[in-house]
Amino acid sequence: MPATFPPRQTTNFARAFSLEATRPTAAEVEEVAGVVPPATPLYLTSVATQATSELVALAAAVRRAGLEPVAHLAARRLAGAQQLQELLRGLRGEADVRRLLVIAGDIDSSGPYPDALSIVQRGKLREAGIEEIGISGYPEAHPRIPADRIETALDQKIAAATAAGLRVHIVSQFSFDAGAIVAWLRRMRKGGIDVPIKVGMAGPTSVPALLRYAKRCGVGASLKGLMSGTAAGLLGHVGPDRILETLAETEGLGDIAPHYFSFGGALATARYARDAAGLASRDRATA
């Protein structure tokens, strides 16, 4: 059953959403495309065991389905400049990819690209046809990197992207704490970061699954709130209703939009995003 949302304020805010999926099948991509508006951005998570050819083929399937593919590019998983350029040629040539999410990657660095900044500075992304990049933000503390280093890195990446002729936006790690998200957004804006921010939210899934993903991703503070609150006793699936409502009601946060992580499945997350935005059903999967 779709969630019930305030009729106008929240739905208006929720319409510019993006989705993120981990290794969806071509069939799942088609199902998602049958639910959400055309050209909805679908971010494709970087997976350590995924071959370059598989990522390119998946991005191409997203493009054919009428969605906008945004491939994750993990700096530390690249062996060198040749591999990077081959990946960029494949993404651009076969899937017309124009946007990337550039991340460091969750492994120790052993190649020439130790972090996302090195890709932005030396990856020749604009020359490869990339027009816009996303970079990571963290409403809650990063499990390994101090907050001051995170904010300095944001400034450096934005400056490097701008110098390279790339548009840039931030995609935040998901959080369950609306207050923490608002405080972080205000801190970003006060610090002079005015680029668009896609606010990470966990799409609808069961509370036990949310707890597993939160622990894995180092989302500590809001995890405690989730465990201590009434949500821990809920049955079925829960979504980020309260976060959407809070962000829609809060002024002065700049250009922000929801970004849904599909922990409960890409199709279920797409349906939730559609319903939250108050869009008419175009769900071919149930036609």
Side-chain angles (χ1 to χ4, degrees):
M1 179 180 295
T4 301
F5 295 93
R8 191 176 298 274
Q9 196 169 25
T10 299
T11 54
N12 287 344
F13 164 70
R15 283 182 181 167
F17 66 86
S18 52
L19 306 170
E20 184 161 321
T22 300
R23 222 169 190 169
T25 65
E28 287 173 324
V29 169
E30 287 289 341
E31 289 176 336
V32 169
V35 171
V36 300
T40 295
L42 179 59
Y43 288 62
L44 302 171
T45 306
S46 175
V47 180
T49 58
Q50 185 179 53
T52 296
S53 58
E54 182 185 342
L55 177 59
V56 170
L58 182 53
V62 173
R63 176 65 71 191
R64 286 195 301 271
L67 303 177
E68 183 69 26
V70 185
H72 286 212
L73 197 161
R76 294 173 185 165
R77 293 180 186 159
L78 294 167
Q82 182 177 347
Q83 183 185 9
L84 171 59
Q85 294 307 314
E86 287 175 355
L87 174 58
L88 292 173
R89 281 195 297 272
L91 290 172
R92 191 72 174 91
E94 298 184 35
D96 194 22
V97 168
R98 302 169 197 143
R99 305 183 202 174
L100 299 171
L101 180 65
V102 183
I103 60 175
D106 55 1
I107 61 173
D108 292 334
S109 177
S110 59
Y113 303 112
D115 50 30
L117 179 60
S118 62
I119 292 288
V120 180
Q121 291 175 325
R122 297 187 277 110
K124 299 181 179 179
L125 302 181
R126 194 69 185 87
E127 293 88 331
I130 301 302
E131 300 171 1
E132 181 174 351
I133 64 165
I135 55 178
S136 300
Y138 298 88
E140 300 184 40
H142 191 284
R144 294 180 299 277
I145 305 174
D148 59 343
R149 282 181 55 196
I150 291 287
E151 294 184 13
T152 297
L154 277 176
D155 288 334
Q156 292 173 330
K157 285 181 278 190
I158 291 169
T162 302
L166 297 163
R167 299 191 304 275
V168 61
H169 63 271
I170 294 171
V171 179
S172 78
Q173 177 62 281
F174 69 93
S175 172
F176 304 121
D177 187 336
I181 294 171
V182 169
W184 174 74
L185 289 168
R186 285 179 170 154
R187 188 166 65 251
M188 293 295 100
R189 299 317 189 193
K190 185 177 180 180
I193 293 177
D194 59 0
V195 301
I197 297 178
K198 295 178 178 293
V199 181
M201 307 178 194
T205 188
S206 67
V207 170
L210 289 177
L211 296 178
R212 288 196 301 272
Y213 282 109
K215 289 177 180 177
R216 185 182 305 172
C217 297
V219 183
S222 63
L223 171 61
K224 294 178 182 177
L226 182 69
M227 293 179 68
S228 62
T230 56
L234 291 175
L235 298 176
H237 282 39
V238 294
D241 305 24
R242 181 55 188 156
I243 295 174
L244 287 171
E245 293 170 13
T246 299
L247 294 178
E249 293 167 359
T250 304
E251 297 180 354
L253 300 181
D255 184 352
I256 63 172
H259 179 77
Y260 299 103
F261 293 83
S262 56
F263 299 141
L267 181 58
T269 303
R271 287 171 172 158
Y272 177 90
R274 174 201 61 196
D275 293 341
L279 301 175
S281 174
R282 52 189 297 272
D283 196 338
R284 294 196 297 262
T286 58

